[in-house]
Amino acid sequence: MAAGAPRVFVSHLAGVPVFDPNGDQVGRLRDLVAMLRVGGRPPRLLGLVVEVLSRRRIFLPMTRVTGIESGQVITTGVVNMRRFEQRPTERLVLGEFLDRRVRLVETGEEVTVLDVAIQQLPARRDWEIDKYFVRKGKAGALRRKGEALTVEWSAVSGFSLEEDGQGTESLVATFEQLRPTDVANALHHLSPKRRAEVAAALDDDRLADVLEELPEDDQVEIIGKLAEERAADVLEAMDPDDAADLLSELPEADKERLLTLMRPDEAADVRRLMAYEERTAGGLMTTEPIILRPDATVADALARVRQADLSPALAAQVYVCRSPDETPTGKYLGTVHFQRLLRDPPYALVSSIVDSDLIPLTPDTPLPAVTSYLAAYNLVSAPVVDESGSLLGAVTVDDVLDHLLPEDWRETDFHGGGEEVARGR
């Protein structure tokens, strides 16, 4: 290696922006593509998997990379927009190398790969895997246990073998700062075996958030590989409308078994949603909007709106209802929008500023009418009320969009298309 040639640990590259020479962002780095070689030669880095702004994943050859610096990757600006498809001879460094159990050549001791270093060859744009950062100790042991050391690529063996029990700790750590939709996109591009391993390593709340962003086929695959008790816990952590949509894709026996394992109150909400036609307000709504009684104050409402786990659409308004204040509620009185809450004093009662002019949706309102309602009144959420005047839930614009877009929209670019062919080199 040339003196001063940059060495980069790949865990630091996950999610970093990729820029063209003009400083315009092309996308974000999601993985690195390497090829194992024979004859004692180190694995060669072929290129990068870059998620462009349309969420399409493309292949960027290393010959088009002019710089890998702290927090960014610089390209020549010439980008092939064909979708990335992994070839049999290729390995994804983040997805397949991290957490792998390999052996030290000298001692035969098993170690876990925590990180991989890459380095540029002198006077060329070629890059190779240079070193591995490994930890001694049993698989699954806490990261602080066991000696950690950096070794040459030639000091370990086992990367050419099919892994039966690859760990997930380091890969999950690279997901910690990503939004659920980005983690979902990363999971979708892993092998089914690796996808199941990573899903099993996520905690219930995080997995629930990620499942809500995955295509239905991936949802069904993942939930089907979890232990039934864990699957029920994850379904409870999901928004009821998303849990209902997932369960509706399962065989009847599996669906009933999971509903029985869920807490009765959570299962009741999901069962109620499953009773409505899918493309109606009842089938689209969530049963957990912000609900306040008439004697609640603006300060009470703002405290509820500030809850970190609320989506922006649900946090945009509160619904004022008589007791009980869980769906189905007592009589629905109206809505107070977030902007109105900001204009009134904290001690004001929400009942004094409620907007009762708009007629709420009924649970059997069809999807086109729901869409028109939101568009006509510039709303991001709308109440759903039954014949007795009780609030059943709220339809949010994100759930409406999910049903208006093509079924495979999560797997295609935002602008609806593009050539689905294997990349060229």
Side-chain angles (χ1 to χ4, degrees), residues 123-353:
R124 291 194 293 170
R125 288 186 180 174
D126 284 349
W127 290 71
E128 292 180 339
I129 288 180
D130 177 38
K131 296 179 182 293
Y132 301 117
F133 181 58
V134 301
R135 185 178 297 280
K136 296 181 180 180
K138 296 180 179 179
L142 294 177
R143 297 186 68 159
R144 65 177 179 270
K145 293 184 176 180
E147 178 188 358
L149 63 158
T150 301
V151 298
E152 298 290 334
W153 63 268
S154 57
V156 300
S157 65
F159 277 102
S160 61
L161 302 177
E162 183 65 27
E163 190 72 31
D164 292 328
Q166 187 176 0
T168 57
E169 191 174 77
S170 298
L171 183 56
V172 169
T174 68
F175 291 160
E176 287 180 357
Q177 303 304 316
L178 297 182
R179 294 175 181 269
T181 187
D182 294 324
V183 178
N185 207 17
L187 279 186
H188 176 70
H189 289 86
L190 294 177
S191 66
K193 170 182 171 293
R194 190 68 167 136
R195 185 159 51 238
E197 291 171 347
V198 173
L202 297 172
D203 64 50
D204 290 349
D205 289 336
R206 183 66 160 166
L207 181 55
D209 290 340
V210 171
L211 279 176
E212 291 172 1
E213 304 298 332
L214 281 167
E216 289 179 352
D217 289 348
D218 289 345
Q219 290 182 341
V220 171
E221 173 196 300
I222 289 172
I223 209 75
K225 291 182 178 179
L226 298 177
E228 288 186 344
E229 292 77 7
R230 169 117 202 268
D233 291 341
V234 172
L235 287 166
E236 289 174 359
M238 295 175 69
D239 288 339
D241 53 324
D242 291 305
D245 289 343
L246 195 166
L247 283 168
S248 67
E249 298 297 318
L250 300 179
E252 192 66 29
D254 295 343
K255 176 171 59 180
E256 284 302 319
R257 191 159 52 248
L258 289 172
L259 282 167
T260 302
L261 290 171
M262 292 172 66
R263 292 197 302 266
D265 56 335
E266 298 283 354
D269 283 344
V270 174
R271 287 184 187 276
R272 183 152 50 89
L273 290 170
M274 293 173 64
Y276 298 111
E277 292 292 331
E278 180 181 3
R279 297 174 71 84
T280 64
L284 295 169
M285 69 182 179
T286 177
T287 58
E288 298 178 345
I290 302 176
I291 300 170
L292 293 172
R293 297 181 185 179
D295 58 352
T297 65
V298 167
D300 295 328
L302 289 173
R304 293 286 299 278
V305 166
R306 277 195 290 266
Q307 292 178 5
D309 58 347
L310 283 175
S311 69
L314 283 179
Q317 60 282 302
V318 300
Y319 299 101
V320 182
C321 306
R322 298 198 185 280
S323 182
D325 51 5
E326 293 184 357
T327 57
T329 67
K331 182 176 176 58
Y332 167 74
L333 301 178
T335 303
V336 182
H337 298 280
F338 176 66
Q339 285 183 319
R340 181 61 190 268
L341 293 173
L342 296 177
R343 294 198 299 264
D344 283 82
Y347 54 79
L349 298 180
V350 292
S351 57
S352 68
I353 58 174

Side-chain angles (χ1 to χ4, degrees), residues 93-106:
V93 178
L94 289 173
E96 299 180 46
F97 279 28
L98 298 192
D99 301 299
R100 198 176 186 96
R101 295 288 291 173
V102 295
R103 292 187 181 276
L104 296 177
V105 172
E106 185 175 348

